[in-house]
Amino acid sequence: QVQLVESGGGLVQPGGSLRLSCAASGNIFSIYVRGWYRQAPGKERELVAIIFTGGGTNYADSVKGRFTISKDNAKDTVYLQMNSLKPEDTAVYYCNHRTLVAGQTSDYWGQGTQVTVSS
């Protein structure tokens, strides 16, 4: 089991920045990919960014060049730095960690944090 606690959402004006954090606890040694997803009202949950244990990253095209995912292994925390925010970035952001144990994967989700970009 992995427990995830998110923080850092809020209201920001267009062009502003926010940093989301997601602290993991529990069976952290089985985690092989950490990521952020988001879900806007009336839309499906979508991938924002992921980071693998080895440090490789992938981003949704809509956030490339604006968002940066990173991790602090000592703190078991993954971050999402969001710059140049746009109204269309408004959504609930969810932290996700995927584990691999005995050949089987499991997904764990944070509670979600609201990000609202509005003037």
Side-chain angles (χ1 to χ4, degrees), residues 43-116:
K43 295 187 177 181
E44 293 186 354
R45 191 172 296 188
E46 64 176 1
L47 172 69
V48 176
I50 55 174
I51 184 165
F52 294 90
T53 301
T57 58
N58 281 325
Y59 295 90
D61 287 343
S62 60
V63 307
K64 282 180 181 176
R66 300 188 299 123
F67 290 11
T68 302
I69 189 170
S70 62
K71 61 187 177 74
D72 185 332
N73 292 330
K75 296 182 179 180
D76 297 319
T77 299
V78 62
Y79 303 96
L80 185 68
Q81 178 66 43
M82 305 184 292
N83 298 328
S84 303
L85 282 161
K86 305 175 181 180
E88 51 263 43
D89 295 317
T90 295
V92 177
Y93 283 69
Y94 296 92
C95 175
N96 169 273
H97 285 31
R98 178 165 290 176
T99 62
L100 179 62
V101 177
Q104 289 198 338
T105 61
S106 298
D107 281 302
Y108 297 90
W109 296 91
Q111 78 276 14
T113 186
Q114 177 70 47
V115 172
T116 302

Side-chain angles (χ1 to χ4, degrees), residues 30-42:
S30 62
I31 297 168
Y32 78 99
V33 62
R34 309 168 191 246
W36 291 93
Y37 290 70
R38 67 186 180 187
Q39 188 167 18

